[in-house]
Amino acid sequence: MDKILRIDMGAEGGPKVTVTPLGEYVGLGGRAMTSAIISKEVPPLCHPLSSENKLVIAPGMLSGTVAAMSGRLSVGCKSPLTGGIKESNSGGQAAQVIGRLGYAAIVLEGKPATEDLFKIVINKDGVKISVDNSLKMLPNYDLVAKMKTEFGDKISCISIGPAGEMKMNIASIACTDMELRPTRHAARGGVGAVMGSKGVKTIVLDDTGMTMRAPKDPEKFKDANKRFVDGLKQHPVSGQALPAFGTNVLTNILSEAGGYPTYNFKQGTFAGASKISGETMAELETKRGGMPTHGCHRGCVIRCSGVYNDKDGHYLTKQPEYETVWAHGGNCGIDDIDSIAMLDFLDDNFGVDTIEMGATIAVAMDAGIAKFGDAQAAINLVKEVGKGSHLGRILGGGAAVTGKVFGVERVPVVKGQAMPAYDPRAVKGVGVTYATSPMGADHTAGYAVATNILKVGGFVDPLVAEGQIELSRNLQIATAAIDSTGMCIFIAFAILDQPETFQALLDLLNAFYGLNLTGDGVVALGQKVLSMERDFNARAGFTSQQDRLPRYFSTESLAPHNVKFDVKDEDLDKVFNW
Amino acid sequence: MIRGEEFAPLPFFSPMHIKINLFATLRKDRFDTDQREYPTGTTVLAVLNDLVIPEGEAAIIFVNGKHAGPDHVMLDGDTLSIFPPIGGG
Ligand code: SF4
């Protein structure tokens, strides 16, 4: 990973490839890399779909090595959804393969003058770019099947579906998993629209003939990796709960805690929660011959995912994540698990963010476009998006756009991005993260749910304002750093609770790069990333007024605890004072 | 007259009705949801003991949707929800 691959899609005479040394970006990976390049090279006032924007695809610092959990990919750009900087994170095989091919980043620049659709193939021999208009408007599963026929099954694909080609705000970028299914998405913020604006349908990756990245100190690295894996296995969350039930184990607990946004954030508990819970889903998956435990990339030892089969025992989709089940489930009043799985498949296939799609449908339901609880109507609406009908185009603009078009007053977005599956009034720490993250409302940016609800990393009462600023600050810093390593964020449960597992992570980085990184160094890295991102947003026109939740979260109470979001504005402005 | 009968009418000894919800691995060999009777003054810990749930396995405890500890004293009509260590996101 000692070079950057730049592809100018707008070059005269067709796309032009240059490979440059790392230069000032040396030592960076993942989110640190994407945010550094975007903040340095993209004019903050540019239109996100213009030739001036760049799409940066970066494996983490440890991706492509044998380190467990290191296969997360960062995708960065100026977001068409938020208008600010974006880092969207994905599992799947791509990060490991790009790392092994030697690239610390792939940067798509410029914009083709024609409507042609391009296919980029990267392997040990280099980069090949060709026009392939036969791929136009292919959904992700069909696209990958076609690439498999053309290039064999040793490949991994990064691709956009029709939503990305139509440059929708909610368009995702799909990454294939170990079974070559396009089930892992850099979903948030409309990164797929930026890829579409560059005219790139897919990047086909093949690392045949390449080897694992070699650490500076192989012995120390091996030892650190062993301690790291032991720590993950020993922690009850990463060792038992996540593999057994997946992320959807959260449905019941959030509903019990009164923090499960239901009917477009109108109440905090959902009567149908148990029907769509992780417990129910795991049982069903086993019964139908699917899998309740599955890894999204080689090297994952937590394996929080699964395989969801339909009633007849045929593959339908990967195990939908908690946030997906919520977005299409309780938030839309839907308690039919098979419909939710179908919506997950459609989202992946058309290439849209499941969170934004579900939140948008709930806003549309509030507008009377469909009835809460009507699963078939929700499926039809997603199909409209896939077709690109006029209604589909509006919904494809996301929750904020849809709310405006249909005159809906209560639209749960921050910086234009829909809130995920935790009501900020009843889980106030994550409310602080929603308000202040440079990404817009994003739970992963500082997952205070862990400490507010799950009692991991201590306990801060979710229902009171005290302690939430500090909690969110620390988590946002830690997350920015973890997102730069290529590690899956689910290592956080173990490293928050077990100092020796955190040390093992430091030792992995140190043994690989020959560094002497300490805990303070990790904090400094996280702060640096956040500062770059906030600086970009400031230059793009963001002020503290954008670091706020919509007013109604402070003025309207949420049942059953009858709580409002009461963290003070002046305190929100202190999150980034360090 | 047997001992205890004379106390029976006193409210102090009237049974409380507690709804108990168990989740994830705690359901194994137990139940998903049950309604049980306990004497007034019963703590969360006493219920855990009754259900043979080791304290360490009851990582997250809610009484009526609010976090509670093992010493919490239950009241008639309460809902007690118990989770093992879980995570996601
Ligand atoms: S824990 Fe889950 S999300 Fe993380 S790498 Fe493994 S399968 Fe992917």
Side-chain angles (χ1 to χ4, degrees), chain A residues 241-242 245 249-250 252-253 256 279 323 447 452-453 459 490 493 561, chain B residues 21 23-24 27 60 62 64-67 81 83 85-89:
Chain A
L242 277 170
F245 299 105
V249 73
L250 294 178
N252 279 326
I253 195 165
E256 285 293 317
E279 288 92 334
E323 285 73 15
Y447 193 63
N452 278 171
I453 302 291
F459 175 63
F490 294 155
F493 297 104
H561 297 309
Chain B
N21 298 320
F23 297 93
R27 289 179 174 179
I60 310 156
F62 288 106
N64 303 330
K66 291 192 178 172
H67 284 277
S81 301
F83 296 80
I86 58 170

PDB file of all heavy atoms in Angstrom, chain A residues 241-242 245 249-250 252-253 256 279 323 447 452-453 459 490 493 561, chain B residues 21 23-24 27 60 62 64-67 81 83 85-89:
ATOM      1  N   ALA A 241     -22.806 -12.901  21.677  1.00  0.00           N
ATOM      2  CA  ALA A 241     -24.090 -12.308  21.279  1.00  0.00           C
ATOM      3  C   ALA A 241     -24.126 -11.951  19.791  1.00  0.00           C
ATOM      4  O   ALA A 241     -25.078 -12.300  19.091  1.00  0.00           O
ATOM      5  CB  ALA A 241     -24.376 -11.071  22.121  1.00  0.00           C
ATOM      6  N   LEU A 242     -23.097 -11.266  19.300  1.00  0.00           N
ATOM      7  CA  LEU A 242     -23.113 -10.861  17.891  1.00  0.00           C
ATOM      8  C   LEU A 242     -23.135 -12.055  16.935  1.00  0.00           C
ATOM      9  O   LEU A 242     -23.925 -12.074  16.003  1.00  0.00           O
ATOM     10  CB  LEU A 242     -21.937  -9.919  17.584  1.00  0.00           C
ATOM     11  CG  LEU A 242     -22.170  -8.442  17.935  1.00  0.00           C
ATOM     12  CD1 LEU A 242     -20.878  -7.646  17.813  1.00  0.00           C
ATOM     13  CD2 LEU A 242     -23.253  -7.823  17.071  1.00  0.00           C
ATOM     14  N   PHE A 245     -26.870 -13.814  17.366  1.00  0.00           N
ATOM     15  CA  PHE A 245     -28.108 -13.123  16.998  1.00  0.00           C
ATOM     16  C   PHE A 245     -27.918 -11.985  16.003  1.00  0.00           C
ATOM     17  O   PHE A 245     -28.891 -11.433  15.507  1.00  0.00           O
ATOM     18  CB  PHE A 245     -28.790 -12.563  18.252  1.00  0.00           C
ATOM     19  CG  PHE A 245     -29.174 -13.625  19.237  1.00  0.00           C
ATOM     20  CD1 PHE A 245     -28.451 -13.805  20.402  1.00  0.00           C
ATOM     21  CD2 PHE A 245     -30.244 -14.464  18.983  1.00  0.00           C
ATOM     22  CE1 PHE A 245     -28.793 -14.790  21.308  1.00  0.00           C
ATOM     23  CE2 PHE A 245     -30.603 -15.460  19.891  1.00  0.00           C
ATOM     24  CZ  PHE A 245     -29.867 -15.619  21.057  1.00  0.00           C
ATOM     25  N   VAL A 249     -30.311  -8.187  17.382  1.00  0.00           N
ATOM     26  CA  VAL A 249     -30.621  -8.473  18.775  1.00  0.00           C
ATOM     27  C   VAL A 249     -31.034  -7.176  19.490  1.00  0.00           C
ATOM     28  O   VAL A 249     -31.621  -7.199  20.565  1.00  0.00           O
ATOM     29  CB  VAL A 249     -29.404  -9.137  19.481  1.00  0.00           C
ATOM     30  CG1 VAL A 249     -28.308  -8.120  19.730  1.00  0.00           C
ATOM     31  CG2 VAL A 249     -29.815  -9.846  20.764  1.00  0.00           C
ATOM     32  N   LEU A 250     -30.741  -6.048  18.866  1.00  0.00           N
ATOM     33  CA  LEU A 250     -31.061  -4.757  19.486  1.00  0.00           C
ATOM     34  C   LEU A 250     -32.538  -4.382  19.412  1.00  0.00           C
ATOM     35  O   LEU A 250     -32.994  -3.509  20.165  1.00  0.00           O
ATOM     36  CB  LEU A 250     -30.244  -3.636  18.822  1.00  0.00           C
ATOM     37  CG  LEU A 250     -28.732  -3.708  19.025  1.00  0.00           C
ATOM     38  CD1 LEU A 250     -28.045  -2.575  18.276  1.00  0.00           C
ATOM     39  CD2 LEU A 250     -28.386  -3.627  20.506  1.00  0.00           C
ATOM     40  N   ASN A 252     -35.358  -5.789  20.372  1.00  0.00           N
ATOM     41  CA  ASN A 252     -36.098  -5.922  21.630  1.00  0.00           C
ATOM     42  C   ASN A 252     -35.615  -4.950  22.696  1.00  0.00           C
ATOM     43  O   ASN A 252     -36.418  -4.346  23.401  1.00  0.00           O
ATOM     44  CB  ASN A 252     -35.985  -7.361  22.161  1.00  0.00           C
ATOM     45  CG  ASN A 252     -36.972  -8.296  21.480  1.00  0.00           C
ATOM     46  OD1 ASN A 252     -38.091  -7.884  21.131  1.00  0.00           O
ATOM     47  ND2 ASN A 252     -36.575  -9.541  21.280  1.00  0.00           N
ATOM     48  N   ILE A 253     -34.308  -4.795  22.796  1.00  0.00           N
ATOM     49  CA  ILE A 253     -33.810  -3.975  23.913  1.00  0.00           C
ATOM     50  C   ILE A 253     -34.135  -2.496  23.693  1.00  0.00           C
ATOM     51  O   ILE A 253     -34.491  -1.793  24.627  1.00  0.00           O
ATOM     52  CB  ILE A 253     -32.307  -4.220  24.190  1.00  0.00           C
ATOM     53  CG1 ILE A 253     -31.934  -3.645  25.553  1.00  0.00           C
ATOM     54  CG2 ILE A 253     -31.410  -3.631  23.139  1.00  0.00           C
ATOM     55  CD1 ILE A 253     -30.599  -4.135  26.087  1.00  0.00           C
ATOM     56  N   GLU A 256     -37.757  -2.130  24.499  1.00  0.00           N
ATOM     57  CA  GLU A 256     -37.929  -2.184  25.960  1.00  0.00           C
ATOM     58  C   GLU A 256     -37.503  -0.881  26.613  1.00  0.00           C
ATOM     59  O   GLU A 256     -38.118  -0.411  27.556  1.00  0.00           O
ATOM     60  CB  GLU A 256     -37.086  -3.327  26.551  1.00  0.00           C
ATOM     61  CG  GLU A 256     -37.646  -4.708  26.330  1.00  0.00           C
ATOM     62  CD  GLU A 256     -38.948  -4.938  27.079  1.00  0.00           C
ATOM     63  OE1 GLU A 256     -39.043  -4.543  28.248  1.00  0.00           O
ATOM     64  OE2 GLU A 256     -39.888  -5.513  26.474  1.00  0.00           O
ATOM     65  N   GLU A 279     -33.839 -12.485  17.870  1.00  0.00           N
ATOM     66  CA  GLU A 279     -34.118 -13.839  18.365  1.00  0.00           C
ATOM     67  C   GLU A 279     -34.992 -14.586  17.353  1.00  0.00           C
ATOM     68  O   GLU A 279     -34.704 -15.726  16.985  1.00  0.00           O
ATOM     69  CB  GLU A 279     -34.839 -13.759  19.725  1.00  0.00           C
ATOM     70  CG  GLU A 279     -33.952 -13.315  20.896  1.00  0.00           C
ATOM     71  CD  GLU A 279     -33.970 -11.804  21.119  1.00  0.00           C
ATOM     72  OE1 GLU A 279     -34.233 -11.060  20.149  1.00  0.00           O
ATOM     73  OE2 GLU A 279     -33.724 -11.369  22.255  1.00  0.00           O
ATOM     74  N   GLU A 323     -30.449  -1.849  11.935  1.00  0.00           N
ATOM     75  CA  GLU A 323     -30.931  -0.546  11.460  1.00  0.00           C
ATOM     76  C   GLU A 323     -31.857  -0.693  10.251  1.00  0.00           C
ATOM     77  O   GLU A 323     -32.779   0.095  10.065  1.00  0.00           O
ATOM     78  CB  GLU A 323     -29.747   0.372  11.120  1.00  0.00           C
ATOM     79  CG  GLU A 323     -29.032   0.957  12.338  1.00  0.00           C
ATOM     80  CD  GLU A 323     -28.181  -0.056  13.081  1.00  0.00           C
ATOM     81  OE1 GLU A 323     -27.900  -1.143  12.520  1.00  0.00           O
ATOM     82  OE2 GLU A 323     -27.801   0.224  14.231  1.00  0.00           O
ATOM     83  N   TYR A 447     -21.007   5.791  18.919  1.00  0.00           N
ATOM     84  CA  TYR A 447     -22.104   4.896  19.265  1.00  0.00           C
ATOM     85  C   TYR A 447     -22.385   4.905  20.765  1.00  0.00           C
ATOM     86  O   TYR A 447     -22.084   3.956  21.491  1.00  0.00           O
ATOM     87  CB  TYR A 447     -21.772   3.488  18.774  1.00  0.00           C
ATOM     88  CG  TYR A 447     -22.945   2.546  18.782  1.00  0.00           C
ATOM     89  CD1 TYR A 447     -24.052   2.788  17.989  1.00  0.00           C
ATOM     90  CD2 TYR A 447     -22.956   1.416  19.589  1.00  0.00           C
ATOM     91  CE1 TYR A 447     -25.136   1.934  17.992  1.00  0.00           C
ATOM     92  CE2 TYR A 447     -24.036   0.544  19.601  1.00  0.00           C
ATOM     93  CZ  TYR A 447     -25.123   0.821  18.796  1.00  0.00           C
ATOM     94  OH  TYR A 447     -26.200  -0.031  18.802  1.00  0.00           O
ATOM     95  N   ASN A 452     -25.065   4.037  26.915  1.00  0.00           N
ATOM     96  CA  ASN A 452     -26.394   4.455  27.371  1.00  0.00           C
ATOM     97  C   ASN A 452     -27.312   3.260  27.622  1.00  0.00           C
ATOM     98  O   ASN A 452     -28.082   3.239  28.580  1.00  0.00           O
ATOM     99  CB  ASN A 452     -27.079   5.348  26.325  1.00  0.00           C
ATOM    100  CG  ASN A 452     -26.639   6.815  26.393  1.00  0.00           C
ATOM    101  OD1 ASN A 452     -26.978   7.592  25.516  1.00  0.00           O
ATOM    102  ND2 ASN A 452     -25.905   7.196  27.419  1.00  0.00           N
ATOM    103  N   ILE A 453     -27.276   2.298  26.728  1.00  0.00           N
ATOM    104  CA  ILE A 453     -28.254   1.201  26.784  1.00  0.00           C
ATOM    105  C   ILE A 453     -27.602  -0.137  27.132  1.00  0.00           C
ATOM    106  O   ILE A 453     -28.122  -0.896  27.932  1.00  0.00           O
ATOM    107  CB  ILE A 453     -28.994   1.052  25.425  1.00  0.00           C
ATOM    108  CG1 ILE A 453     -29.712   2.355  25.044  1.00  0.00           C
ATOM    109  CG2 ILE A 453     -29.973  -0.132  25.451  1.00  0.00           C
ATOM    110  CD1 ILE A 453     -30.903   2.709  25.903  1.00  0.00           C
ATOM    111  N   PHE A 459     -21.537   3.180  32.192  1.00  0.00           N
ATOM    112  CA  PHE A 459     -22.966   3.449  32.038  1.00  0.00           C
ATOM    113  C   PHE A 459     -23.235   4.926  32.222  1.00  0.00           C
ATOM    114  O   PHE A 459     -22.799   5.536  33.197  1.00  0.00           O
ATOM    115  CB  PHE A 459     -23.785   2.639  33.057  1.00  0.00           C
ATOM    116  CG  PHE A 459     -25.258   2.955  33.026  1.00  0.00           C
ATOM    117  CD1 PHE A 459     -26.012   2.705  31.882  1.00  0.00           C
ATOM    118  CD2 PHE A 459     -25.891   3.518  34.130  1.00  0.00           C
ATOM    119  CE1 PHE A 459     -27.373   3.004  31.839  1.00  0.00           C
ATOM    120  CE2 PHE A 459     -27.256   3.816  34.103  1.00  0.00           C
ATOM    121  CZ  PHE A 459     -28.000   3.558  32.952  1.00  0.00           C
ATOM    122  N   PHE A 490     -17.180  -3.127  15.422  1.00  0.00           N
ATOM    123  CA  PHE A 490     -17.650  -4.036  16.478  1.00  0.00           C
ATOM    124  C   PHE A 490     -16.531  -4.572  17.352  1.00  0.00           C
ATOM    125  O   PHE A 490     -16.787  -5.301  18.305  1.00  0.00           O
ATOM    126  CB  PHE A 490     -18.488  -5.178  15.889  1.00  0.00           C
ATOM    127  CG  PHE A 490     -19.773  -4.689  15.283  1.00  0.00           C
ATOM    128  CD1 PHE A 490     -20.410  -5.395  14.281  1.00  0.00           C
ATOM    129  CD2 PHE A 490     -20.347  -3.497  15.704  1.00  0.00           C
ATOM    130  CE1 PHE A 490     -21.590  -4.931  13.712  1.00  0.00           C
ATOM    131  CE2 PHE A 490     -21.519  -3.022  15.146  1.00  0.00           C
ATOM    132  CZ  PHE A 490     -22.145  -3.742  14.144  1.00  0.00           C
ATOM    133  N   PHE A 493     -16.628  -3.027  21.384  1.00  0.00           N
ATOM    134  CA  PHE A 493     -17.169  -3.579  22.633  1.00  0.00           C
ATOM    135  C   PHE A 493     -16.041  -4.160  23.475  1.00  0.00           C
ATOM    136  O   PHE A 493     -15.965  -3.922  24.674  1.00  0.00           O
ATOM    137  CB  PHE A 493     -18.234  -4.639  22.329  1.00  0.00           C
ATOM    138  CG  PHE A 493     -19.423  -4.070  21.594  1.00  0.00           C
ATOM    139  CD1 PHE A 493     -19.608  -4.287  20.236  1.00  0.00           C
ATOM    140  CD2 PHE A 493     -20.343  -3.287  22.267  1.00  0.00           C
ATOM    141  CE1 PHE A 493     -20.692  -3.746  19.569  1.00  0.00           C
ATOM    142  CE2 PHE A 493     -21.433  -2.740  21.609  1.00  0.00           C
ATOM    143  CZ  PHE A 493     -21.612  -2.968  20.251  1.00  0.00           C
ATOM    144  N   HIS A 561     -41.414   7.232  28.102  1.00  0.00           N
ATOM    145  CA  HIS A 561     -40.759   7.931  29.212  1.00  0.00           C
ATOM    146  C   HIS A 561     -41.053   9.432  29.213  1.00  0.00           C
ATOM    147  O   HIS A 561     -40.623  10.139  30.106  1.00  0.00           O
ATOM    148  CB  HIS A 561     -39.244   7.691  29.169  1.00  0.00           C
ATOM    149  CG  HIS A 561     -38.864   6.255  29.349  1.00  0.00           C
ATOM    150  ND1 HIS A 561     -39.340   5.486  30.381  1.00  0.00           N
ATOM    151  CD2 HIS A 561     -38.081   5.427  28.609  1.00  0.00           C
ATOM    152  CE1 HIS A 561     -38.854   4.252  30.282  1.00  0.00           C
ATOM    153  NE2 HIS A 561     -38.091   4.190  29.211  1.00  0.00           N
TER     154      HIS A 561
ATOM    155  N   ASN B  21     -39.781 -10.567  31.267  1.00  0.00           N
ATOM    156  CA  ASN B  21     -39.382 -10.833  29.878  1.00  0.00           C
ATOM    157  C   ASN B  21     -37.915 -11.222  29.860  1.00  0.00           C
ATOM    158  O   ASN B  21     -37.080 -10.523  30.437  1.00  0.00           O
ATOM    159  CB  ASN B  21     -39.541  -9.583  29.011  1.00  0.00           C
ATOM    160  CG  ASN B  21     -40.974  -9.108  28.923  1.00  0.00           C
ATOM    161  OD1 ASN B  21     -41.903  -9.916  28.816  1.00  0.00           O
ATOM    162  ND2 ASN B  21     -41.168  -7.801  28.976  1.00  0.00           N
ATOM    163  N   PHE B  23     -34.550 -12.402  27.310  1.00  0.00           N
ATOM    164  CA  PHE B  23     -34.122 -12.198  25.926  1.00  0.00           C
ATOM    165  C   PHE B  23     -32.862 -12.991  25.598  1.00  0.00           C
ATOM    166  O   PHE B  23     -32.117 -13.390  26.491  1.00  0.00           O
ATOM    167  CB  PHE B  23     -33.891 -10.710  25.659  1.00  0.00           C
ATOM    168  CG  PHE B  23     -35.149  -9.908  25.799  1.00  0.00           C
ATOM    169  CD1 PHE B  23     -35.474  -9.309  27.010  1.00  0.00           C
ATOM    170  CD2 PHE B  23     -36.042  -9.806  24.747  1.00  0.00           C
ATOM    171  CE1 PHE B  23     -36.650  -8.599  27.156  1.00  0.00           C
ATOM    172  CE2 PHE B  23     -37.223  -9.098  24.886  1.00  0.00           C
ATOM    173  CZ  PHE B  23     -37.527  -8.492  26.092  1.00  0.00           C
ATOM    174  N   ALA B  24     -32.659 -13.155  24.296  1.00  0.00           N
ATOM    175  CA  ALA B  24     -31.458 -13.791  23.742  1.00  0.00           C
ATOM    176  C   ALA B  24     -31.184 -15.121  24.459  1.00  0.00           C
ATOM    177  O   ALA B  24     -32.103 -15.912  24.653  1.00  0.00           O
ATOM    178  CB  ALA B  24     -30.274 -12.829  23.792  1.00  0.00           C
ATOM    179  N   ARG B  27     -33.272 -17.067  27.317  1.00  0.00           N
ATOM    180  CA  ARG B  27     -34.521 -17.793  27.078  1.00  0.00           C
ATOM    181  C   ARG B  27     -34.336 -19.310  27.104  1.00  0.00           C
ATOM    182  O   ARG B  27     -35.286 -20.044  27.329  1.00  0.00           O
ATOM    183  CB  ARG B  27     -35.083 -17.396  25.705  1.00  0.00           C
ATOM    184  CG  ARG B  27     -35.628 -15.987  25.697  1.00  0.00           C
ATOM    185  CD  ARG B  27     -36.143 -15.609  24.330  1.00  0.00           C
ATOM    186  NE  ARG B  27     -36.793 -14.307  24.389  1.00  0.00           N
ATOM    187  CZ  ARG B  27     -37.329 -13.704  23.333  1.00  0.00           C
ATOM    188  NH1 ARG B  27     -37.270 -14.278  22.147  1.00  0.00           N
ATOM    189  NH2 ARG B  27     -37.906 -12.538  23.475  1.00  0.00           N
ATOM    190  N   ILE B  60     -28.014  -6.538  31.575  1.00  0.00           N
ATOM    191  CA  ILE B  60     -28.844  -5.339  31.417  1.00  0.00           C
ATOM    192  C   ILE B  60     -30.233  -5.650  31.963  1.00  0.00           C
ATOM    193  O   ILE B  60     -30.877  -6.611  31.539  1.00  0.00           O
ATOM    194  CB  ILE B  60     -28.932  -4.924  29.934  1.00  0.00           C
ATOM    195  CG1 ILE B  60     -27.525  -4.852  29.320  1.00  0.00           C
ATOM    196  CG2 ILE B  60     -29.650  -3.594  29.784  1.00  0.00           C
ATOM    197  CD1 ILE B  60     -27.496  -5.021  27.828  1.00  0.00           C
ATOM    198  N   PHE B  62     -33.989  -3.998  32.982  1.00  0.00           N
ATOM    199  CA  PHE B  62     -34.931  -2.878  32.941  1.00  0.00           C
ATOM    200  C   PHE B  62     -36.124  -3.181  33.835  1.00  0.00           C
ATOM    201  O   PHE B  62     -36.657  -4.294  33.808  1.00  0.00           O
ATOM    202  CB  PHE B  62     -35.497  -2.683  31.525  1.00  0.00           C
ATOM    203  CG  PHE B  62     -34.529  -2.125  30.538  1.00  0.00           C
ATOM    204  CD1 PHE B  62     -33.966  -2.932  29.560  1.00  0.00           C
ATOM    205  CD2 PHE B  62     -34.193  -0.780  30.554  1.00  0.00           C
ATOM    206  CE1 PHE B  62     -33.082  -2.424  28.632  1.00  0.00           C
ATOM    207  CE2 PHE B  62     -33.307  -0.255  29.625  1.00  0.00           C
ATOM    208  CZ  PHE B  62     -32.749  -1.074  28.658  1.00  0.00           C
ATOM    209  N   ASN B  64     -39.738  -1.561  34.070  1.00  0.00           N
ATOM    210  CA  ASN B  64     -40.621  -0.629  33.354  1.00  0.00           C
ATOM    211  C   ASN B  64     -39.849   0.252  32.363  1.00  0.00           C
ATOM    212  O   ASN B  64     -40.065   1.455  32.266  1.00  0.00           O
ATOM    213  CB  ASN B  64     -41.403   0.253  34.337  1.00  0.00           C
ATOM    214  CG  ASN B  64     -42.211  -0.591  35.308  1.00  0.00           C
ATOM    215  OD1 ASN B  64     -42.648  -1.692  34.961  1.00  0.00           O
ATOM    216  ND2 ASN B  64     -42.377  -0.102  36.524  1.00  0.00           N
ATOM    217  N   GLY B  65     -38.892  -0.361  31.670  1.00  0.00           N
ATOM    218  CA  GLY B  65     -38.174   0.354  30.616  1.00  0.00           C
ATOM    219  C   GLY B  65     -37.054   1.248  31.101  1.00  0.00           C
ATOM    220  O   GLY B  65     -36.441   1.955  30.316  1.00  0.00           O
ATOM    221  N   LYS B  66     -36.785   1.226  32.437  1.00  0.00           N
ATOM    222  CA  LYS B  66     -35.665   2.015  32.948  1.00  0.00           C
ATOM    223  C   LYS B  66     -34.618   1.091  33.552  1.00  0.00           C
ATOM    224  O   LYS B  66     -34.960   0.100  34.210  1.00  0.00           O
ATOM    225  CB  LYS B  66     -36.155   3.006  34.011  1.00  0.00           C
ATOM    226  CG  LYS B  66     -37.006   4.107  33.411  1.00  0.00           C
ATOM    227  CD  LYS B  66     -37.245   5.244  34.387  1.00  0.00           C
ATOM    228  CE  LYS B  66     -38.063   6.318  33.689  1.00  0.00           C
ATOM    229  NZ  LYS B  66     -38.526   7.377  34.537  1.00  0.00           N
ATOM    230  N   HIS B  67     -33.344   1.445  33.327  1.00  0.00           N
ATOM    231  CA  HIS B  67     -32.257   0.645  33.860  1.00  0.00           C
ATOM    232  C   HIS B  67     -32.394   0.493  35.377  1.00  0.00           C
ATOM    233  O   HIS B  67     -32.699   1.470  36.071  1.00  0.00           O
ATOM    234  CB  HIS B  67     -30.909   1.310  33.555  1.00  0.00           C
ATOM    235  CG  HIS B  67     -30.482   1.152  32.125  1.00  0.00           C
ATOM    236  ND1 HIS B  67     -29.843   0.024  31.669  1.00  0.00           N
ATOM    237  CD2 HIS B  67     -30.598   1.974  31.056  1.00  0.00           C
ATOM    238  CE1 HIS B  67     -29.577   0.165  30.370  1.00  0.00           C
ATOM    239  NE2 HIS B  67     -30.032   1.344  29.972  1.00  0.00           N
ATOM    240  N   SER B  81     -37.429  -6.760  32.625  1.00  0.00           N
ATOM    241  CA  SER B  81     -36.840  -7.300  31.394  1.00  0.00           C
ATOM    242  C   SER B  81     -35.355  -7.521  31.615  1.00  0.00           C
ATOM    243  O   SER B  81     -34.659  -6.619  32.088  1.00  0.00           O
ATOM    244  CB  SER B  81     -37.049  -6.333  30.230  1.00  0.00           C
ATOM    245  OG  SER B  81     -38.436  -6.109  30.046  1.00  0.00           O
ATOM    246  N   PHE B  83     -31.628  -8.932  30.081  1.00  0.00           N
ATOM    247  CA  PHE B  83     -30.826  -9.241  28.892  1.00  0.00           C
ATOM    248  C   PHE B  83     -29.444  -9.725  29.307  1.00  0.00           C
ATOM    249  O   PHE B  83     -28.858  -9.181  30.230  1.00  0.00           O
ATOM    250  CB  PHE B  83     -30.625  -7.993  28.032  1.00  0.00           C
ATOM    251  CG  PHE B  83     -31.891  -7.429  27.438  1.00  0.00           C
ATOM    252  CD1 PHE B  83     -32.739  -6.640  28.199  1.00  0.00           C
ATOM    253  CD2 PHE B  83     -32.217  -7.685  26.122  1.00  0.00           C
ATOM    254  CE1 PHE B  83     -33.900  -6.122  27.655  1.00  0.00           C
ATOM    255  CE2 PHE B  83     -33.371  -7.171  25.562  1.00  0.00           C
ATOM    256  CZ  PHE B  83     -34.221  -6.381  26.327  1.00  0.00           C
ATOM    257  N   PRO B  85     -25.326  -9.988  28.148  1.00  0.00           N
ATOM    258  CA  PRO B  85     -24.536  -8.990  27.420  1.00  0.00           C
ATOM    259  C   PRO B  85     -24.852  -9.076  25.922  1.00  0.00           C
ATOM    260  O   PRO B  85     -24.775 -10.164  25.341  1.00  0.00           O
ATOM    261  CB  PRO B  85     -23.090  -9.409  27.679  1.00  0.00           C
ATOM    262  CG  PRO B  85     -23.138 -10.303  28.870  1.00  0.00           C
ATOM    263  CD  PRO B  85     -24.482 -10.961  28.846  1.00  0.00           C
ATOM    264  N   ILE B  86     -25.266  -7.977  25.343  1.00  0.00           N
ATOM    265  CA  ILE B  86     -25.532  -7.965  23.902  1.00  0.00           C
ATOM    266  C   ILE B  86     -24.993  -6.673  23.297  1.00  0.00           C
ATOM    267  O   ILE B  86     -24.713  -5.710  24.002  1.00  0.00           O
ATOM    268  CB  ILE B  86     -27.031  -8.098  23.550  1.00  0.00           C
ATOM    269  CG1 ILE B  86     -27.837  -6.966  24.187  1.00  0.00           C
ATOM    270  CG2 ILE B  86     -27.571  -9.444  23.942  1.00  0.00           C
ATOM    271  CD1 ILE B  86     -29.267  -6.900  23.678  1.00  0.00           C
ATOM    272  N   GLY B  87     -24.874  -6.679  21.974  1.00  0.00           N
ATOM    273  CA  GLY B  87     -24.390  -5.478  21.298  1.00  0.00           C
ATOM    274  C   GLY B  87     -24.737  -5.536  19.834  1.00  0.00           C
ATOM    275  O   GLY B  87     -25.247  -6.542  19.331  1.00  0.00           O
ATOM    276  N   GLY B  88     -24.477  -4.457  19.159  1.00  0.00           N
ATOM    277  CA  GLY B  88     -24.762  -4.391  17.727  1.00  0.00           C
ATOM    278  C   GLY B  88     -24.560  -2.967  17.289  1.00  0.00           C
ATOM    279  O   GLY B  88     -23.786  -2.244  17.901  1.00  0.00           O
ATOM    280  N   GLY B  89     -25.286  -2.571  16.272  1.00  0.00           N
ATOM    281  CA  GLY B  89     -25.169  -1.168  15.874  1.00  0.00           C
ATOM    282  C   GLY B  89     -25.003  -1.030  14.384  1.00  0.00           C
ATOM    283  O   GLY B  89     -25.012  -1.973  13.654  1.00  0.00           O
TER     284      GLY B  89
END
